[in-house]
Amino acid sequence: MFATYLIGLREGLEATLVVSILVAFLVKSQRRDRLPQVWAGIGLAVALSVLFGWLIEYTSTSLLSRSEDRELFEAITSVAAVVFVTWMIFWMRRAARTIAGELRGKLTEALAVGFLAVAGMAFLAVIREGLETALIFYSAAQGAAGDSGPLLALIGGIVTAVVLGVLLYASALRINLSKFFTWTGALLILVAAGILKYGVHDFQEAGVLPGLNNLAFDITGALDPTTWYAALLAGMFNVTPAPTVLEMIAWVAYAVPVLLLFLRPARRKPAPAATTTTVTERGADTGAEAEAASTPQRA
Protein backbone atom coordinates (compact mmCIF):
# COMPACT_ATOMS: atom_id res chain seq x y z
CA MET A 1 0.00 0.00 0.00
CA PHE A 2 2.95 2.32 0.51
CA ALA A 3 3.64 2.24 -3.23
CA THR A 4 0.12 3.40 -4.12
CA TYR A 5 0.21 6.03 -1.35
CA LEU A 6 3.48 7.33 -2.79
CA ILE A 7 1.95 7.43 -6.27
CA GLY A 8 -1.03 9.42 -5.01
CA LEU A 9 1.18 11.78 -3.02
CA ARG A 10 3.64 12.46 -5.81
CA GLU A 11 1.16 12.82 -8.67
CA GLY A 12 -1.35 14.60 -6.46
CA LEU A 13 1.17 17.21 -5.36
CA GLU A 14 2.25 17.86 -8.94
CA ALA A 15 -1.37 18.41 -9.96
CA THR A 16 -2.07 20.53 -6.88
CA LEU A 17 0.90 22.78 -7.60
CA VAL A 18 -0.28 23.26 -11.16
CA VAL A 19 -3.78 24.20 -9.97
CA SER A 20 -2.35 26.56 -7.32
CA ILE A 21 -0.24 28.38 -9.92
CA LEU A 22 -3.25 28.86 -12.19
CA VAL A 23 -5.53 30.06 -9.38
CA ALA A 24 -2.90 32.38 -7.91
CA PHE A 25 -2.25 33.95 -11.31
CA LEU A 26 -5.94 34.66 -11.89
CA VAL A 27 -6.38 36.08 -8.38
CA LYS A 28 -3.40 38.39 -8.64
CA SER A 29 -4.42 39.42 -12.17
CA GLN A 30 -7.87 40.44 -10.93
CA ARG A 31 -9.50 37.79 -13.16
CA ARG A 32 -11.49 35.89 -10.57
CA ASP A 33 -14.33 35.72 -13.08
CA ARG A 34 -12.35 33.05 -14.93
CA LEU A 35 -11.96 30.78 -11.89
CA PRO A 36 -15.17 28.80 -12.66
CA GLN A 37 -13.75 27.89 -16.08
CA VAL A 38 -10.51 26.71 -14.45
CA TRP A 39 -12.41 24.56 -11.95
CA ALA A 40 -14.60 23.20 -14.76
CA GLY A 41 -11.54 22.12 -16.73
CA ILE A 42 -9.99 20.56 -13.63
CA GLY A 43 -13.22 18.74 -12.77
CA LEU A 44 -13.48 17.32 -16.30
CA ALA A 45 -9.85 16.15 -16.14
CA VAL A 46 -10.48 14.37 -12.82
CA ALA A 47 -13.66 12.73 -14.15
CA LEU A 48 -11.93 11.46 -17.31
CA SER A 49 -9.01 10.16 -15.26
CA VAL A 50 -11.38 8.15 -13.06
CA LEU A 51 -13.15 6.88 -16.19
CA PHE A 52 -9.83 5.87 -17.71
CA GLY A 53 -8.89 3.95 -14.57
CA TRP A 54 -12.26 2.19 -14.56
CA LEU A 55 -11.90 1.35 -18.26
CA ILE A 56 -8.51 -0.29 -17.69
CA GLU A 57 -9.91 -2.37 -14.83
CA TYR A 58 -13.06 -3.26 -16.79
CA THR A 59 -11.01 -4.33 -19.81
CA SER A 60 -8.87 -6.63 -17.67
CA THR A 61 -11.68 -8.20 -15.64
CA SER A 62 -14.63 -8.26 -18.06
CA LEU A 63 -13.60 -7.87 -21.70
CA LEU A 64 -10.72 -10.35 -21.68
CA SER A 65 -11.99 -13.86 -21.07
CA ARG A 66 -8.80 -15.89 -21.47
CA SER A 67 -6.22 -15.78 -18.69
CA GLU A 68 -3.43 -15.51 -21.26
CA ASP A 69 -5.04 -12.37 -22.71
CA ARG A 70 -5.40 -10.84 -19.25
CA GLU A 71 -1.77 -11.60 -18.44
CA LEU A 72 -0.67 -10.00 -21.72
CA PHE A 73 -2.83 -6.93 -21.10
CA GLU A 74 -1.43 -6.51 -17.60
CA ALA A 75 2.11 -6.92 -18.94
CA ILE A 76 1.60 -4.21 -21.57
CA THR A 77 0.07 -1.79 -19.06
CA SER A 78 2.97 -2.47 -16.69
CA VAL A 79 5.53 -1.54 -19.34
CA ALA A 80 3.51 1.56 -20.25
CA ALA A 81 3.36 2.56 -16.57
CA VAL A 82 7.15 2.22 -16.25
CA VAL A 83 7.63 4.45 -19.30
CA PHE A 84 5.29 7.09 -17.80
CA VAL A 85 6.96 6.96 -14.37
CA THR A 86 10.43 7.34 -15.86
CA TRP A 87 9.40 10.20 -18.13
CA MET A 88 7.50 11.93 -15.32
CA ILE A 89 10.30 12.00 -12.74
CA PHE A 90 12.92 13.23 -15.19
CA TRP A 91 10.52 15.79 -16.69
CA MET A 92 9.67 17.23 -13.29
CA ARG A 93 13.36 17.49 -12.41
CA ARG A 94 14.03 19.53 -15.56
CA ALA A 95 10.83 21.59 -15.59
CA ALA A 96 10.64 22.58 -11.90
CA ARG A 97 12.36 25.92 -12.49
CA THR A 98 10.21 26.99 -15.44
CA ILE A 99 6.81 25.36 -15.01
CA ALA A 100 5.22 28.33 -13.22
CA GLY A 101 6.25 30.81 -15.94
CA GLU A 102 5.14 28.49 -18.72
CA LEU A 103 1.73 27.96 -17.12
CA ARG A 104 1.23 31.71 -16.67
CA GLY A 105 2.15 32.33 -20.29
CA LYS A 106 -0.29 29.70 -21.56
CA LEU A 107 -3.05 30.99 -19.29
CA THR A 108 -2.47 34.57 -20.50
CA GLU A 109 -2.92 33.38 -24.08
CA ALA A 110 -6.04 31.44 -23.11
CA LEU A 111 -7.56 34.50 -21.40
CA ALA A 112 -7.21 36.44 -24.64
CA VAL A 113 -9.06 33.72 -26.57
CA GLY A 114 -12.07 33.12 -24.30
CA PHE A 115 -13.59 31.06 -21.52
CA LEU A 116 -13.41 27.76 -23.42
CA ALA A 117 -9.70 28.23 -23.94
CA VAL A 118 -9.23 28.85 -20.21
CA ALA A 119 -11.14 25.67 -19.33
CA GLY A 120 -9.22 23.73 -21.97
CA MET A 121 -5.88 24.98 -20.72
CA ALA A 122 -6.72 23.97 -17.13
CA PHE A 123 -7.97 20.60 -18.40
CA LEU A 124 -4.74 19.88 -20.31
CA ALA A 125 -2.61 20.98 -17.36
CA VAL A 126 -4.24 18.41 -15.06
CA ILE A 127 -5.29 15.54 -17.32
CA ARG A 128 -1.72 14.29 -17.82
CA GLU A 129 -1.27 13.79 -14.08
CA GLY A 130 -4.66 12.08 -13.82
CA LEU A 131 -4.06 9.61 -16.65
CA GLU A 132 -0.60 8.82 -15.33
CA THR A 133 -2.00 8.21 -11.86
CA ALA A 134 -4.69 5.84 -13.16
CA LEU A 135 -2.27 3.81 -15.26
CA ILE A 136 0.49 3.62 -12.66
CA PHE A 137 -1.99 2.78 -9.89
CA TYR A 138 -3.48 -0.08 -11.92
CA SER A 139 -0.03 -1.51 -12.60
CA ALA A 140 1.18 -1.10 -9.02
CA ALA A 141 -1.99 -2.63 -7.53
CA GLN A 142 -2.03 -5.77 -9.69
CA GLY A 143 -2.44 -8.88 -7.63
CA ALA A 144 -4.54 -7.07 -5.03
CA ALA A 145 -7.92 -7.91 -6.54
CA GLY A 146 -10.71 -7.58 -4.02
CA ASP A 147 -8.48 -5.66 -1.63
CA SER A 148 -9.52 -2.04 -1.07
CA GLY A 149 -6.23 -1.22 0.67
CA PRO A 150 -4.34 0.05 -2.42
CA LEU A 151 -7.25 2.29 -3.45
CA LEU A 152 -7.56 3.75 0.04
CA ALA A 153 -3.80 4.31 0.12
CA LEU A 154 -3.97 6.13 -3.23
CA ILE A 155 -6.81 8.34 -2.01
CA GLY A 156 -4.86 9.00 1.19
CA GLY A 157 -1.84 10.09 -0.84
CA ILE A 158 -3.95 12.42 -2.97
CA VAL A 159 -5.65 13.94 0.09
CA THR A 160 -2.24 14.50 1.71
CA ALA A 161 -1.04 16.19 -1.49
CA VAL A 162 -4.07 18.48 -1.59
CA VAL A 163 -3.55 19.50 2.04
CA LEU A 164 0.13 20.23 1.38
CA GLY A 165 -0.79 22.19 -1.74
CA VAL A 166 -3.32 24.34 0.12
CA LEU A 167 -0.81 25.07 2.89
CA LEU A 168 1.85 25.99 0.34
CA TYR A 169 -0.59 28.26 -1.47
CA ALA A 170 -1.48 29.98 1.79
CA SER A 171 2.24 30.31 2.63
CA ALA A 172 1.52 28.44 5.86
CA LEU A 173 4.08 25.77 4.98
CA ARG A 174 7.51 25.87 3.40
CA ILE A 175 9.13 22.66 2.20
CA ASN A 176 12.09 22.02 -0.04
CA LEU A 177 10.24 20.73 -3.08
CA SER A 178 13.47 19.93 -4.87
CA LYS A 179 14.44 17.43 -2.14
CA PHE A 180 10.88 16.16 -1.93
CA PHE A 181 10.73 15.33 -5.63
CA THR A 182 14.26 13.87 -5.53
CA TRP A 183 13.48 11.42 -2.71
CA THR A 184 10.03 10.48 -3.99
CA GLY A 185 11.49 10.14 -7.49
CA ALA A 186 14.12 7.69 -6.25
CA LEU A 187 11.48 5.64 -4.44
CA LEU A 188 9.25 5.68 -7.52
CA ILE A 189 12.13 4.33 -9.60
CA LEU A 190 12.26 1.32 -7.27
CA VAL A 191 8.47 1.00 -7.52
CA ALA A 192 8.75 1.17 -11.32
CA ALA A 193 11.45 -1.51 -11.28
CA GLY A 194 9.05 -3.74 -9.37
CA ILE A 195 6.26 -2.97 -11.86
CA LEU A 196 8.58 -3.90 -14.74
CA LYS A 197 9.51 -7.12 -12.95
CA TYR A 198 5.81 -7.89 -12.56
CA GLY A 199 5.27 -7.13 -16.26
CA VAL A 200 8.02 -9.55 -17.28
CA HIS A 201 6.39 -12.22 -15.13
CA ASP A 202 3.06 -11.56 -16.88
CA PHE A 203 4.74 -11.85 -20.27
CA GLN A 204 6.08 -15.21 -19.13
CA GLU A 205 2.65 -16.26 -17.89
CA ALA A 206 1.19 -15.30 -21.27
CA GLY A 207 3.79 -17.39 -23.09
CA VAL A 208 5.40 -14.39 -24.79
CA LEU A 209 8.68 -14.74 -22.90
CA PRO A 210 10.33 -18.02 -21.87
CA GLY A 211 11.80 -19.07 -18.54
CA LEU A 212 8.74 -19.07 -16.28
CA ASN A 213 10.17 -21.96 -14.26
CA ASN A 214 13.80 -20.86 -14.49
CA LEU A 215 14.31 -19.28 -11.08
CA ALA A 216 17.18 -16.94 -10.31
CA PHE A 217 17.09 -18.01 -6.65
CA ASP A 218 14.65 -19.27 -4.03
CA ILE A 219 14.87 -17.81 -0.54
CA THR A 220 11.38 -18.77 0.54
CA GLY A 221 12.85 -20.32 3.67
CA ALA A 222 14.38 -17.00 4.71
CA LEU A 223 11.65 -14.74 3.32
CA ASP A 224 8.36 -16.45 4.05
CA PRO A 225 5.72 -14.97 1.68
CA THR A 226 3.08 -15.25 4.42
CA THR A 227 4.90 -12.88 6.80
CA TRP A 228 4.01 -9.21 7.10
CA TYR A 229 7.46 -7.97 6.08
CA ALA A 230 7.48 -10.16 2.94
CA ALA A 231 4.05 -8.79 2.04
CA LEU A 232 5.35 -5.25 2.68
CA LEU A 233 8.36 -5.73 0.37
CA ALA A 234 6.19 -7.32 -2.30
CA GLY A 235 3.62 -4.54 -2.09
CA MET A 236 6.17 -1.73 -2.15
CA PHE A 237 8.79 -2.91 -4.64
CA ASN A 238 7.55 -6.36 -5.82
CA VAL A 239 10.43 -8.07 -4.01
CA THR A 240 9.57 -11.78 -4.11
CA PRO A 241 11.49 -14.75 -2.66
CA ALA A 242 11.53 -16.80 -5.89
CA PRO A 243 11.86 -14.57 -8.98
CA THR A 244 12.73 -15.86 -12.43
CA VAL A 245 16.03 -15.08 -14.12
CA LEU A 246 14.37 -12.72 -16.63
CA GLU A 247 12.54 -10.88 -13.85
CA MET A 248 15.80 -10.17 -12.04
CA ILE A 249 17.58 -9.16 -15.24
CA ALA A 250 14.77 -6.68 -15.99
CA TRP A 251 14.79 -5.29 -12.43
CA VAL A 252 18.55 -4.73 -12.33
CA ALA A 253 18.76 -3.48 -15.94
CA TYR A 254 16.18 -0.79 -15.16
CA ALA A 255 16.79 0.17 -11.53
CA VAL A 256 20.57 0.51 -11.53
CA PRO A 257 21.15 2.79 -14.56
CA VAL A 258 17.99 4.87 -14.01
CA LEU A 259 18.84 5.48 -10.34
CA LEU A 260 22.41 6.44 -11.25
CA LEU A 261 21.19 8.89 -13.88
CA PHE A 262 18.56 10.36 -11.60
CA LEU A 263 20.81 10.75 -8.55
CA ARG A 264 23.96 11.91 -10.32
CA PRO A 265 25.36 15.20 -9.00
CA ALA A 266 23.84 18.29 -10.53
CA ARG A 267 25.90 20.28 -13.00
CA ARG A 268 25.74 24.00 -12.41
CA LYS A 269 24.66 26.02 -15.41
CA PRO A 270 25.04 29.79 -15.04
CA ALA A 271 21.84 31.49 -16.13
CA PRO A 272 22.05 34.55 -18.43
CA ALA A 273 21.88 37.74 -16.36
CA ALA A 274 19.12 39.16 -18.53
CA THR A 275 16.75 36.29 -17.74
CA THR A 276 17.43 35.92 -14.02
CA THR A 277 14.39 36.76 -11.91
CA THR A 278 13.59 36.76 -8.23
CA VAL A 279 10.31 35.49 -6.88
CA THR A 280 8.91 37.94 -4.36
CA GLU A 281 5.14 37.59 -4.65
CA ARG A 282 3.75 35.90 -1.55
CA GLY A 283 1.68 32.85 -2.39
CA ALA A 284 1.73 33.36 -6.14
CA ASP A 285 4.12 30.48 -6.78
CA THR A 286 2.93 28.19 -3.97
CA GLY A 287 6.53 27.83 -2.89
CA ALA A 288 7.42 25.70 -5.91
CA GLU A 289 9.35 28.11 -8.08
CA ALA A 290 11.05 29.75 -5.12
CA GLU A 291 12.32 26.43 -3.84
CA ALA A 292 13.42 25.31 -7.30
CA ALA A 293 15.27 28.57 -7.87
CA SER A 294 17.26 28.04 -4.71
CA THR A 295 18.51 24.65 -5.87
CA PRO A 296 21.03 24.14 -8.72
CA GLN A 297 19.31 22.69 -11.75
CA ARG A 298 20.14 19.13 -12.59
CA ALA A 299 21.16 18.21 -16.09
Side-chain angles (χ1 to χ4, degrees), residues 5 12 28 47 74 78 90 112 167 174 176 180 243 245 263 267 274:
Y5 176 84
K28 300 188 80 65
E74 291 176 358
S78 294
F90 281 97
L167 292 176
R174 300 290 295 180
N176 190 320
F180 172 84
V245 172
L263 296 176
R267 291 183 298 176

Side-chain angles (χ1 to χ4, degrees), residues 71-104:
E71 297 290 349
L72 183 58
F73 178 77
E74 291 176 358
I76 293 173
T77 55
S78 294
V79 173
V82 171
V83 171
F84 274 114
V85 168
T86 308
W87 176 82
M88 176 260 293
I89 59 178
F90 281 97
W91 174 85
M92 175 53 71
R93 191 180 67 172
R94 291 192 302 268
R97 292 171 62 92
T98 60
I99 186 172
E102 292 176 358
L103 286 172
R104 293 193 199 98

Side-chain angles (χ1 to χ4, degrees), residues 267-280:
R267 291 183 298 176
R268 295 179 179 273
K269 293 183 178 180
T275 59
T276 302
T277 59
T278 303
V279 179
T280 58

